[in-house]
Amino acid sequence: MNSNHFSTPSLTDSFGREVNYLRLSVTDRCNLRCTYCMAEDMTFLPKQQILSLEELRDTATAFVELGVRKIRLTGGEPLIRRDILKLVGSLASLPGLDELTMTSNGVMLPKMAQPLKDAGLSRINISIDSLKPERFKALTRVGDLDEVLAGIRAAGAADFKRVKLNAVILAGFNDDEVLDLARFAVDNQMDISFIEEMPLGEISSHNRANTKVSSEQIRQQLETEFKLRDSAETTGGPSRYARVANSDCKIGFISPMSNNFCSSCNRVRLTAEGRLLLCLGNEHSLDLREILRSYPGDSERLKTSIVRAMANKPERHYFDAEQTDIVRFMNMTGG
Ligand code: SAM
Ligand code: SF4
């Protein structure tokens, strides 16, 4: 991958923010049912509404030609998409793309980690919210912790640049595991980010107003055991990082509720059905599937539409844990 191929980025929004990061959801389906992400009974999109492999590749190519340097594949669970290795292979070789990454729940990584690495994936984030088997099952409704632990080991063995773990912390569910999760990451020489739950999609398993835990509260817990030193490092996403003393690990804090990071937002998202979402917390969007299917092969039209859409990127999100204004579930847009 050659980072100097395109020197002038052309995706800039009306607040002067440069967009150089695309999160690409390749499916809305998942083999888990995390309580904070999905309702118990979900209806998924019919296959013909999901972007095909070619449509995903054409869209990603357009974004990279417009200056996007990093693409994260997500979902739903990206690894349940049958042609995922083909997609990784074709995106990894796009001239101008610096990093192709993925967020996964880890269940399929024992088989897929090495093939993903071989196909050109640079980094991987794996979500794990509990190290207690019973609790893990309750949080994911169906998940088997051992499978995810095996997936994490497989990712470690596949020699990705760096494996990062992601944990959403919910009061009363797993807020007593912050230290255990951090220790697990440090012991395995991985990084970990703690995420504040966002009010995306109407759920019935818990009241989000009662499960709120701020990044600051998480950090206070961590500081009872770890010496943390703030770091200006970035992986191009919303995490603010701290280095853990006497280790090579960093701990990230993703704080969509308590600390608005919108002023430095460099991201847009493409939903599995091809809707270009300009902000996770707003509904401003553009139907790229309509353009892809009405004008197949017309990459100039696609790029012009993407450039114009930037004018609609909202300045910021206003999340309120008491209220679900965004009815879209997280599996639609990806994390
Ligand atoms: N299935 C993959 C996984 O779980 O890693 C990728 C998709 S998942 C939607 C991406 C990330 O979003 C995960 O780390 C998940 O924990 C997080 N997530 C899901 N729903 C969320 C919510 N309501 N608030 C905050 N994070 C959420
Ligand atoms: Fe699936 Fe990821 Fe959502 Fe959990 S967070 S239900 S693993 S998409």
Side-chain angles (χ1 to χ4, degrees):
M1 286 181 257
N2 166 12
S3 55
N4 296 320
H5 194 76
F6 299 99
S7 50
T8 330
S10 21
L11 291 181
T12 306
D13 75 359
S14 42
F15 303 95
R17 293 172 298 193
E18 186 191 314
V19 171
N20 51 25
Y21 182 179
L22 173 68
R23 294 199 175 182
L24 201 55
S25 173
V26 299
T27 178
D28 62 332
R29 289 165 198 257
C30 189
N31 42 6
L32 300 183
R33 292 284 183 279
C34 303
T35 55
Y36 52 78
C37 175
M38 290 194 183
E40 189 144 23
D41 280 321
M42 293 289 288
T43 312
F44 296 106
L45 293 164
K47 192 164 179 262
Q48 66 274 19
Q49 288 189 26
I50 300 282
L51 293 192
S52 67
L53 188 71
E54 292 70 32
E55 289 168 336
L56 284 167
R57 200 191 45 220
D58 289 352
T59 310
T61 305
F63 272 98
V64 173
E65 289 181 4
L66 288 167
V68 160
R69 295 284 164 265
K70 173 170 173 178
I71 295 180
R72 175 172 297 284
L73 301 173
T74 177
E77 172 51 35
L79 294 182
I80 66 172
R81 177 129 187 183
R82 215 171 295 149
D83 40 16
I84 191 71
L85 286 175
K86 242 191 200 171
L87 181 68
V88 168
S90 67
L91 300 194
S93 58
L94 283 178
L97 187 66
D98 290 343
E99 263 208 321
L100 181 64
T101 67
M102 179 180 283
T103 306
S104 165
N105 62 27
V107 171
M108 293 178 69
L109 280 176
K111 277 205 187 98
M112 301 285 279
Q114 192 60 52
L116 285 167
K117 178 72 174 46
D118 296 342
L121 195 76
S122 345
R123 280 198 295 132
I124 189 148
N125 290 359
I126 305 170
S127 302
I128 180 161
D129 304 320
S130 173
L131 294 166
K132 299 180 196 271
E134 288 308 311
R135 188 181 277 186
F136 184 84
K137 174 147 275 163
L139 276 167
T140 56
R141 291 198 180 98
V142 292
D144 177 347
L145 178 65
D146 282 341
E147 287 178 356
V148 175
L149 293 176
I152 292 172
R153 280 195 298 275
D159 202 24
F160 285 105
K161 252 190 222 158
R162 186 85 189 166
V163 175
K164 191 179 86 168
L165 308 176
N166 277 341
V168 177
I169 300 299
L170 310 181
F173 287 91
N174 65 348
D175 54 334
D176 56 346
E177 281 192 77
V178 167
L179 286 173
D180 288 346
L181 285 161
R183 242 178 258 128
F184 177 80
V186 170
D187 290 348
N188 287 287
Q189 291 167 309
M190 293 175 177
D191 299 327
I192 184 165
S193 278
F194 291 101
I195 307 174
E196 291 175 350
E197 181 186 19
M198 291 178 278
L200 295 175
E202 204 66 67
I203 54 169
S204 56
S205 55
H206 58 275
N207 179 345
R208 284 174 169 140
N210 300 333
T211 51
K212 258 197 302 190
V213 185
S214 69
S215 294
E216 192 45 45
Q217 289 169 311
I218 293 169
R219 187 171 176 135
Q220 279 167 13
Q221 276 202 53
L222 290 167
E223 283 178 336
T224 62
E225 179 167 329
F226 299 100
K227 204 166 166 6
L228 300 182
R229 187 171 36 80
D230 282 333
S231 157
E233 289 164 274
T234 169
T235 48
S239 258
R240 285 171 298 132
Y241 285 105
R243 281 266 158 205
V244 180
N246 305 318
S247 87
D248 61 351
C249 298
K250 54 185 190 299
I251 295 186
F253 299 94
I254 303 183
S255 325
M257 307 302 290
S258 66
N259 184 323
N260 196 285
F261 43 59
C262 304
S263 63
S264 59
C265 182
N266 60 345
R267 301 172 285 290
V268 290
R269 296 174 153 83
L270 193 71
T271 69
E273 62 197 320
R275 188 153 70 101
L276 174 62
L277 263 185
L278 296 152
C279 170
L280 188 57
N282 286 282
E283 292 297 3
H284 304 65
S285 68
L286 172 70
D287 184 357
L288 287 187
R289 186 185 64 195
E290 159 74 19
I291 298 167
L292 285 160
R293 295 193 180 170
S294 304
Y295 305 96
D298 190 345
S299 62
E300 285 312 310
R301 184 183 292 264
L302 186 62
K303 284 196 269 185
T304 307
S305 308
I306 294 170
V307 170
R308 288 209 188 114
M310 293 303 126
N312 291 327
K313 186 168 165 62
E315 185 173 14
R316 54 167 296 172
H317 66 249
Y318 297 91
F319 282 137
D320 178 356
E322 313 273 335
Q323 219 173 305
T324 306
D325 292 332
I326 303 290
V327 293
R328 169 172 36 80
F329 286 97
M330 189 67 167
N331 70 303
M332 286 303 298
T333 21

